[in-house]
Every structure is written in structure tokens, then in C-alpha cells.
Amino acid sequence: MESAGNVQAFISKRVVVPQGIQDAAVLVEDGRILDVVSRSQIPSRFAIRDLGDYALLPGLVDSHIHMNEPGRTEWEGFRTATRAAAAGGYTTLIDMPLNCLPPTTTVAALEAKRRAASGQCHVDWMAWGGVVCDNQERLAELTAAGVPGFKCFLIHPGIDGFTMVTEQELRAALPHLARAGLPLLVHAELPSPVEAATQKLEQADWTKYTTYLQSRPDEAELSAIQLLLTLCREFRFRLHIVHLSTSRALETLRAAKREGLPLSVETCPHYLHFAAEEIPDRATLFKCAPPIRSRENRETLWQGLNEGVIDLVATDHSPCPPEMKLLHEGSFRNAWGGISSVSLALPVMWTEASRRGFALGDIVRWMAEGPAKLAGCHSRKGRIAKGFDADFVVFCPEEQFTVTENHLHYRHRVSPYLGERLRGVVQATYLRGNCIFADGACIGEPRGSELQR
Ligand SMILES: [Zn+2]
């Protein structure tokens, strides 16, 4: 006899499957999706969970998050980040290799991260490895140890302990990456346009957002992307541009994809929601790099998503202790850059996407399937389909709410989204058939585990 606990049928009028939205029953056995069937086909041994009008989406996958543990757990940590993720409908997180100490640039550091994560995680997770100035020889070991890919910076990452790479250093790493067949995620800004622009702003008022915006010109992204495409053509490694902010790169990226380069592109909810014109002076909670640009730029990024030039949306959830945002001083020059959003990304995206005529299936493509494919976990994560993990978001697309601190479940409850009116509420989140979040709170002990490639 099987217990009702491990055989369940989730019934919804709006199940978001790869083919579209269906009135269906999702049969779950032992944490996996056994099948997606019509209501009349549910075997009698299955316990029914009728979700009524709520939509059922696959658990979201965030391929860009900074959990900062070990070493900077006071910034975030596995327990609080994964709790916040569950509240936001995310069931898989792929952690960035920097901001933690040691950074994930050696196998020893990866093992330290695994120890730190053990028993702490409410959702499943993986860890990107880092490519820094001097670890080219360690990349094969990190690959063998199970990282799904690597991250590097072409500009100073704003923190010590993780070095940027020059073109020469990158060239030394690329044959290893091409051989491994794993993606290289690149922070694509070059230093020289930023340095030149910043020099001219020595005397400027750095409490103004426009000063910060001028200091990170589009050209920094455009020149980095040009360089990366040249290297991609030469080495044929899987190139992934993280957090694209300038829409002016879309034409080049479109052409590169047409050419057949192994290229994927990501942007973030904050670039698709906020606009520079609306950011108040001193409001350093909006500081991130590359910066939030104009309203017109935002609309063109939406076109890039619509066309598929931009493949996916990741949060770049990057918290810090609130003091580091220098909220009293209000200096965009000295404040930490990073926006925390993992609890809110789904309603933020749905608010903007539904207003522009997109459907829940588009959200799933951008926030579940796309990131899962990038991280190589797309045979288990990111879809409601036979054989996949029973990771779900129960979502009410119509309900609206105003963001308060109670909606932020991460360690430091500061956010540029506070006070925003958003559309779409995460009612519950399931990880491998188990309810991990419902009615505004996490449920049960951490059940998440590391996904091995
Ligand atoms: Zn980041």
C-alpha cells in the first residue's frame, strides 16, 4: 500500500505545460511527475489536491543569485535565501561564485560551500564555478566536481576576493571551457568606458541617479559584448551574457544568434520594471551594475524578450547589510550595488508581462525552462511534464497586493520594490511533491538538496 502522501493529483483549470495552458491533473508519485492527464483519468489511489482557479506553474529556476555563504552569511546565507526563494515560487537556485568566502574558484571552496549548505536549504540548489585571473588550471577539476558552468567578470566586481579577467586571462581559460562544453556566464562591461566616464564626473553630485547612470555608459556593455562575440567565434564556447541592461546591444546579439554562435542572454526584473527617469536622488536601493537605464531602453528590452534575443530572466538577487546601502549619505558612488528580489520576481514580471499581453507560458519559458537549460538541469527542472520533479508554484494571477516588508523573506528586508502595487500572488510552493511555502510562510524543515550535474 502506498500512503496518500506520495501519490497526489494536483488539479487546476490552468496548468502551464510546454504546449500551453490546460485544464488538467498532474499525477505525482514519490516527488516526480508521473503524468499529466485529464480529470477523468485520475487513478483512485491518488489523493486529490484541487487548486480551483489558481494556476499551476513549474517551480521557477533562478540561474543568477548571490547567497553569500560561507563567509558572508550576515549578508544573506543559504537558509534565508532559500526561504525567500520558496516564498517567491523558486524551487532551484544556482549560486554565483563570488561574495562568498572562499569564492568558488577551487574544488576545496566548492566543498566548503557544500558543507555550509548542508541541511540549510528550503529549495534545491547548484553552484556556478568562478573563472578568475589565475585559476585556469583548476577549471577541469571544478568541472569534474560537478559545477554546471562558470562565471567571470570583465570589470572589477565591486568586491575583493574575486578578480576580474583580462582578455589575455580569458583566452587562457576558454579552451578548458570549450572542452567541458559548459557555459561561461559573463558580467559584460569593460572597464575603460566606465573609467573614462567616471573621471569626467569627479566634481559631479553623486547623490543624483543621473550621475551614476552616466558613469556606467552603454558603451561599456557594447564593447564587452563585441569582445566576447569575437572570442566565442574563435573558441566556440557556450557564451551567456548575464544581466543585459542596454537594449542597444540587441541588434548585435540578434545577428550573433543568426550566425549560429552558441550564445544565450539574460536580463533581470529590475531592468524590465524600473526606469531611470523615476529613480529619486539618494535612492541607492536602486543601484546595481550595469545600471537601470531609460524608460525607452526598458521597452526595447521587452521587445528583445518577445523576439527571443533575450532568452531568460534571472533575479541577480544580491543583498548586503542595509548599512552598506548608505541610505543616509545617499551616495551612488560609495553604496553597494545590488538589488534583492527573489521573493518578488514572479509578481514583478507578471505585472509587467500581463500588461504587455504576454501569457503565463512566456513567464515559465523565461523564468523556469530557460534558466534550467542554461544550468543543464532541464531534464528534471523547469517544466510540468512526465518524469520531471514535482516542483510547483500555485499562483493567483489576478490578485493584487502592495509590497511590504512582510513580502520579503530574505535576511535584510530592504528593497526598492517596497510600496509597489503588484499583480499575482504566490499561494503555495511545492518541492518534489512537498509543500514548502503556503499562506505567507515557509513550512517544515529544509528539504532542498544540491543537484549534481
Ligand atoms: Zn550578480
Side-chain angles (χ1 to χ4, degrees):
M1 270 285 290
E2 280 158 315
S3 74
N6 62 12
V7 282
Q8 310 169 71
F10 291 78
I11 306 174
S12 160
K13 291 192 183 103
R14 292 184 280 181
V15 180
V16 184
V17 292
Q19 301 78 22
I21 295 179
Q22 292 179 356
D23 183 341
V26 184
L27 305 182
V28 173
E29 184 167 34
D30 295 330
R32 288 216 166 182
I33 299 172
L34 195 64
D35 210 347
V36 181
V37 299
S38 71
R39 286 167 190 257
S40 61
Q41 292 173 305
I42 304 170
S44 59
R45 67 191 172 102
F46 280 74
I48 305 284
R49 284 187 187 269
D50 193 340
L51 307 173
D53 283 334
Y54 293 150
L56 189 69
L57 280 60
L60 304 182
V61 178
D62 192 2
S63 55
H64 191 155
I65 185 164
H66 299 265
M67 292 196 270
N68 305 332
E69 188 171 0
R72 286 196 181 89
T73 310
E74 71 278 13
W75 290 27
E76 184 61 278
F78 282 108
R79 190 171 282 261
T80 53
T82 58
R83 175 182 77 194
Y90 283 93
T91 50
T92 308
L93 304 178
I94 303 109
D95 187 39
M96 281 297 173
L98 68 159
N99 301 359
C100 48
L101 291 169
T104 321
T105 52
T106 63
V107 172
L110 178 63
E111 293 301 339
K113 187 173 284 283
R114 286 171 170 162
R115 283 192 298 276
S118 174
Q120 301 282 326
C121 295
H122 290 277
V123 302
D124 288 347
W125 68 281
M126 303 174 95
W128 297 115
V131 172
V132 288
C133 65
D134 59 359
N135 78 331
Q136 294 89 348
E137 301 305 319
R138 318 305 278 277
L139 303 181
E141 294 160 32
L142 274 163
T143 301
V147 299
F150 293 88
K151 164 83 179 285
C152 75
F153 278 74
L154 299 184
I155 193 167
H156 189 276
I159 197 162
D160 294 329
F162 194 93
T163 55
M164 57 172 277
V165 287
T166 61
E167 179 183 344
Q168 202 182 1
E169 288 155 355
L170 192 52
R171 281 178 172 275
L174 291 176
H176 299 280
L177 296 170
R179 205 175 307 127
L182 297 181
L184 178 66
L185 288 66
V186 189
H187 181 122
E189 285 182 293
L190 284 187
S192 49
V194 174
E195 284 160 9
T198 306
Q199 234 163 39
K200 286 186 203 145
L201 296 164
E202 276 307 321
Q203 304 304 320
D205 180 355
W206 281 85
T207 64
K208 293 199 175 307
Y209 184 74
T210 48
T211 304
Y212 178 62
L213 182 57
Q214 284 165 30
S215 77
R216 313 278 308 205
D218 301 75
E219 286 71 22
E221 285 188 79
L222 296 167
S223 54
I225 288 168
Q226 286 295 357
L227 169 64
L228 290 164
L229 292 175
T230 304
L231 293 170
C232 186
R233 215 168 271 126
E234 188 177 333
F235 290 90
R236 301 304 288 197
F237 66 99
R238 283 175 63 193
L239 170 61
H240 178 75
I241 308 291
V242 295
H243 51 47
L244 180 76
S245 146
T246 178
S247 63
R248 284 175 51 199
L250 289 170
E251 205 177 307
T252 309
L253 293 167
R254 187 186 299 115
K257 286 191 159 190
R258 282 217 189 104
E259 184 190 332
L261 293 181
L263 165 69
S264 55
V265 182
E266 133 200 335
T267 191
C268 306
H270 39 271
Y271 302 124
L272 297 165
H273 178 72
F274 296 122
E277 294 90 333
E278 292 152 22
I279 298 178
D281 294 342
R282 317 178 67 86
T284 52
L285 290 175
F286 292 85
K287 180 179 174 182
C288 59
I292 294 162
R293 304 188 190 278
S294 69
R295 201 178 285 127
E296 187 191 346
N297 181 77
R298 175 185 70 193
E299 295 313 310
T300 316
L301 286 177
W302 275 103
Q303 286 173 28
L305 264 177
N306 187 29
E307 265 187 73
V309 180
I310 301 173
D311 301 84
L312 64 95
V313 175
T315 67
D316 195 10
H317 176 84
S318 184
C320 66
E323 311 83 77
M324 292 178 66
K325 278 293 188 182
L326 307 178
L327 296 171
H328 295 294
E329 185 188 334
S331 165
F332 281 99
R333 176 159 222 176
N334 302 325
W336 169 256
I339 290 178
S340 306
S341 64
V342 74
S343 300
L344 296 172
L346 175 56
V348 167
M349 283 299 294
W350 180 238
T351 301
E352 297 294 343
S354 57
R355 178 183 287 168
R356 291 172 176 82
F358 293 101
L360 287 173
D362 297 309
I363 295 284
V364 166
R365 223 163 12 86
W366 300 328
M367 301 177 80
E369 283 187 40
K373 194 171 162 207
L374 177 69
C377 60
H378 54 294
S379 62
R380 274 183 68 179
K381 301 290 188 184
R383 282 185 172 202
I384 294 179
K386 197 172 174 169
F388 277 64
D389 284 3
D391 296 351
F392 305 128
V393 193
V394 179
F395 188 61
C396 179
E398 287 79 24
E399 198 177 323
Q400 300 198 11
F401 69 104
T402 301
V403 180
T404 68
E405 286 180 14
N406 292 334
H407 298 103
L408 314 174
H409 296 259
Y410 42 86
R411 186 179 296 279
H412 301 292
R413 300 189 178 205
V414 291
S415 167
Y417 292 104
L418 284 173
E420 296 272 314
R421 188 84 184 147
L422 298 180
R423 186 155 183 249
V425 172
V426 174
Q427 301 290 341
T429 306
Y430 287 79
L431 178 71
R432 285 178 264 112
N434 295 302
C435 186
I436 56 169
F437 175 85
D439 303 322
C442 271
I443 294 170
E445 284 306 297
R447 292 168 180 272
S449 57
E450 186 190 3
L451 296 177
Q452 299 273 354
R453 182 173 48 80

